[in-house]
Amino acid sequence: MDASQRQAVENLLRLSPIADELGELFAAAGFTLHLVGGSVRDALLGRLGNDLDFTTDARPAQIQRLLAPWADAVWDTGIAFGTVGASKRDAGTTWIIEITTFRADAYDGQSRNPEVTFGDSLDGDLVRRDFSINAMAVSVPDHDFTDPFGGLAALATGRLDTPAAPEQSFSDDPLRMLRAARFAAQLQVTPAPRVLAAMRQMAPQIQRITAERVRAELEKLLLGAAPRAGLTLLVDSGLAQFVLPELPALILERDEHHQHKDVYQHSLTVLEQAIAQEEDGPDLTLRLAALLHDVGKPATRRFESGGGVSFHHHEVVGAKLIRKRMRALKFPKQLTEDVANLTFLHLRFHGYSGGQWTDSAVRRYVTDAGPLLPWLHKLVRADSTTRNPRRRAALQRSYDSLEERIAELAAAEDLARVRPDLDGNAIMQLLDLPPGPLVGRAWKYLKELRLERGPLTRDEAEAELLAWAEREGING
């Protein structure tokens, strides 16, 4: 450990004196305690949060007895796996602590859940961890650094490797292959050749993992600092074929007679351009929509006479594919609908060429987008990946114009809440109707009229409704 790295760990432990305090507590009881895994890695990267992970030779019941009088709260949610959790407030920070007994687990090769076996050595515990950058430890309170698998050097060079043979590591827990892609996105590390080879060979084993766990890793990957790197690794390793097959499907073969934009690379670029517009941190809705907005293209590609290529209605097909995939991965229902609807709407702007839309068309654009309008603005802007600077500037000016039109109409008409000028009660009173489907039809007519003409006065709305009722033969 060089001086700067030791300083990083020392700074961590100074910021969190409870680590040493906890170490002294365990030492007094005759046990060892080590800060371990992601806590050490993140300390070395200067990005530690308020979660601290420890490992110890104490057994779970002994850990509980030591923590009970010291911590503010203790929980045993993970005790079946040898983990005891606790929280402790210190110097204005609430630290979340997990302490796990040394492990020496055995796997059956069918499930990712091990047969939990407690070990008796730190090195034995570290060798079973997923990657060498997570297999470093710092003892407390004496701060001895343990790195038997070269995690420090791997971290310094951005190399992702496994403590044991990667084939054994991934056989024990196939989710670790997805974690490799996630770390590529979060930490900008590159898998060692043997790790990539093992991922390619063992990619089908990811099917042993539940959809919920796969989704959780995909979310973390997408919310990382460089998701393109993680997604590229998913595709290059073959994992994407099993967890997100719509992504590699975007790699469409092209020939010299039918040229079109590389849809796969285009989608990754749109993702990066969407990220560049984020204002309040990583936005999962925006990132998913940017990545998946063109997934309907492979199924809709048609070669036209004269060498052209078309993708008619790919937004409709894409929205259906997104719903199917996100449901299979157990994404929340609202998130699924939002991403699908953004995909369905993302081409609508291209009808705005030259600013020729009527006010009615602008109202419909806003109303159809509803609360998704801010995301739709960003997605449409990100979807411009042309290398022609003149065309790119023209597209941006056109969307600037549309946003200005929206703002002007919104100021005049409260576009955020486009509703009929008469509510259901007023409709029933005017037409002398009881509650029922006819009221819904009348409401829908007035809504369409509102979109077409903008706000009406009360007298105008009542006159229009009465005229409509007469045309429809509706008598109260």
Side-chain angles (χ1 to χ4, degrees):
M1 183 183 230
D2 67 26
S4 63
Q5 290 153 342
R6 176 170 289 281
Q7 187 63 47
V9 175
E10 294 292 343
N11 287 342
L12 154 71
L13 295 167
R14 275 199 297 273
L15 286 171
S16 173
I18 64 167
D20 280 347
E21 184 180 323
L22 196 54
E24 289 167 357
L25 181 68
F26 274 66
F31 301 112
T32 62
L33 186 69
H34 308 266
L35 193 68
V36 73
S39 294
V40 177
R41 179 199 70 218
D42 288 345
L44 293 170
L45 292 172
R47 44 175 281 169
L48 186 77
N50 64 333
D51 294 347
L52 298 178
D53 293 329
F54 295 89
T55 189
T56 180
D57 55 348
R59 294 302 192 252
Q62 295 167 323
I63 298 172
Q64 287 179 305
R65 284 197 297 272
L66 288 169
L67 289 178
W70 176 84
D72 297 328
V74 179
W75 54 90
D76 61 2
T77 309
I79 200 164
F81 297 97
T83 301
V84 178
S87 64
K88 176 77 169 179
R89 189 160 182 83
D90 179 73
T93 298
T94 297
W95 296 89
I96 305 301
I97 296 160
E98 286 196 344
I99 304 177
T100 303
T101 301
F102 292 157
R103 297 264 294 274
D105 300 336
Y107 291 81
D108 62 10
Q110 303 300 317
S111 165
R112 68 176 296 267
N113 294 323
E115 178 184 340
V116 176
T117 305
F118 297 134
D120 55 12
S121 74
L122 177 61
D123 282 6
D125 179 88
L126 296 178
V127 74
R128 53 166 289 277
R129 293 179 179 265
D130 54 0
F131 299 105
S132 59
I133 60 173
N134 295 330
M136 298 178 281
V138 177
S139 64
V140 285
D142 53 5
H143 303 178
D144 286 339
F145 183 66
T146 302
D147 180 20
F149 306 106
L152 190 58
L155 196 62
T157 57
R159 186 181 77 256
L160 192 67
D161 207 345
T162 52
E167 293 82 2
Q168 181 62 53
S169 181
F170 298 155
S171 177
D172 286 348
D173 185 358
L175 189 67
R176 290 171 173 173
M177 294 187 286
L178 271 185
R179 286 169 61 83
R182 190 242 290 184
F183 286 133
Q186 289 181 327
L187 305 177
Q188 291 86 68
V189 292
T190 302
R194 70 171 190 159
V195 170
L196 181 56
M199 290 172 69
R200 287 172 172 163
Q201 174 191 341
M202 303 178 69
Q205 292 201 34
I206 197 65
Q207 295 172 99
R208 290 164 46 194
I209 304 302
T210 65
E212 291 85 355
R213 298 303 300 270
V214 169
R215 183 203 70 227
E217 288 298 327
L218 284 177
E219 285 186 8
K220 292 173 184 177
L221 185 161
L222 283 168
L223 295 173
R228 184 172 191 151
L231 293 165
T232 299
L233 179 54
L234 278 186
V235 172
D236 290 349
S237 66
L239 278 171
Q241 194 62 49
F242 299 98
V243 300
L244 194 62
E246 293 76 11
L247 186 58
L250 295 175
I251 306 174
L252 301 177
E253 292 183 5
R254 295 182 291 170
D255 61 50
E256 58 183 302
H257 303 295
H258 296 94
Q259 292 293 320
H260 59 79
K261 188 176 293 184
D262 184 325
V263 183
Y264 170 64
Q265 294 298 333
H266 163 76
S267 298
L268 295 178
T269 300
V270 172
L271 172 61
E272 290 184 322
Q273 293 184 168
I275 290 171
Q277 298 179 69
E278 292 175 338
E279 299 164 351
D280 299 311
D283 184 329
L284 186 60
T285 300
L286 179 63
R287 294 187 182 200
L288 278 166
L291 178 65
L292 301 176
H293 74 287
D294 274 347
V295 295
K297 281 190 170 181
T300 58
R301 181 172 64 163
R302 299 291 181 270
F303 295 125
E304 309 291 351
S305 59
V309 179
S310 67
F311 301 96
H312 295 310
H313 305 301
H314 76 268
E315 74 282 12
V316 178
V317 173
K320 292 179 180 178
L321 289 173
I322 285 169
R323 286 189 176 95
K324 182 178 180 180
R325 177 57 50 200
M326 291 184 66
R327 287 168 182 164
L329 288 170
K330 310 295 185 183
F331 277 99
K333 182 178 179 180
Q334 189 60 57
L335 177 62
T336 298
E337 285 303 302
D338 288 348
V339 174
N341 286 330
L342 285 168
T343 296
F344 179 74
L345 294 169
H346 83 276
L347 288 183
R348 195 76 62 86
F349 159 72
H350 294 286
Y352 188 73
S353 176
Q356 299 302 309
W357 277 4
T358 62
D359 284 353
S360 172
V362 175
R363 290 187 197 102
R364 290 179 188 278
Y365 185 80
V366 173
T367 301
D368 289 347
L372 294 175
L373 186 63
W375 285 270
L376 186 59
H377 285 331
K378 293 175 182 177
L379 175 60
V380 172
R381 289 186 180 277
D383 196 24
S384 173
T385 61
T386 177
R387 295 182 180 180
N388 183 323
R390 185 173 298 177
R391 174 167 169 73
R392 185 179 183 86
L395 285 169
Q396 296 299 334
R397 284 196 302 272
S398 186
Y399 208 80
D400 287 343
S401 169
L402 176 57
E403 287 204 53
E404 290 167 6
R405 293 270 307 277
I406 291 171
E408 291 167 1
L409 282 173
E413 302 180 11
D414 191 13
L415 280 188
R417 297 186 299 113
V418 174
R419 299 179 61 81
D421 296 281
L422 300 175
D423 63 18
N425 289 329
I427 291 169
M428 289 189 288
Q429 183 176 3
L430 184 64
L431 299 183
D432 192 22
L433 291 175
L438 285 180
V439 178
R441 283 176 55 195
W443 190 93
K444 184 176 180 181
Y445 169 74
L446 289 174
K447 173 74 176 291
E448 289 297 312
L449 194 66
R450 173 74 166 75
L451 289 169
E452 187 66 31
R453 290 172 47 182
L456 303 178
T457 66
R458 177 83 179 200
D459 289 344
E460 289 171 333
E462 290 182 349
E464 290 288 350
L465 181 61
L466 289 170
W468 172 82
E470 184 176 351
R471 291 194 302 272
E472 295 292 315
I474 296 173
N475 297 307

